Amino acid sequence: MIDPSVRGQDEVDAADAAEIRQVFVTRVHQVLQEGYNRLDAAAHSGTPEPAITGRLVEAMESFLNDAVAPDWAEYFSVHDDPPVNDGKRFGKDRNRIDIKVRASRPRPGTIFSFEAKRLARGYTVSKYLGPEGLGCILCGTYARDEDEAGMIGYVQDDDAAYWAGEIKATIEADPVAHEVDAADWWKPHTFGNGPRHVFVSIHERKAVGRPVTIYHSLLIFTAAP
């Protein structure tokens, strides 16, 4: 497996790019899970999304700064609510993605964007998939130049299986709007050290001119029984 934290820029060629990216995406989700592990999830069963996101980013940073973190963590950074520089909006008018994870090597570096939404009563999949959720990625407002991006669902009611079913069924009900047409557009995914409940969906993004693979990470924040 190619390690993007130790390969020099001159050593990286097109044949390596896909493998390097997959290593990066896997490690991004390990950082996400390690941050989640440091939270008292049940204590946030009614917490608004921005507050959970802020706590989650702090916890992810704590993992990266831990003395026992793996060597590659040195090249990773996590950013809470960073502005998107798209050349169209400037200053305070810029859009902001919820979480951005960056690796500084191999240069010029690589990034992964997460948009997060609550999944609970009153915070349904229509918001998760809507214009301020997945829709921001599909239209290219976020992750326009990336081939993969992430959605994080903060599960505060029911369980991951219920919400995964709701997300899949809602997309299937209007595949054109969500730009899916492949037979295997939705499937569960496993990261060795990543979140327990991850699903992958593939979307065409015709307006952007490049498809995107979305990793849906459903993190459990339900109250303790």
Side-chain angles (χ1 to χ4, degrees), residues 31-32 56-62 64 76-80 82 98-102 114:
V31 175
L32 174 64
L56 181 59
V57 168
E58 289 177 3
M60 293 164 72
E61 291 175 334
S62 175
L64 292 176
F76 278 65
S77 59
V78 186
H79 308 271
D80 179 11
D98 285 327
I99 300 174
K100 180 179 287 186
V101 182
R102 179 183 294 275
F114 284 108

Side-chain angles (χ1 to χ4, degrees), residues 39-47 52 55 156 220-224:
L39 298 179
D40 180 356
H44 296 290
S45 62
T47 303
I52 295 179
R55 296 285 179 85
Q156 296 177 309
I220 307 302
F221 287 90
T222 52

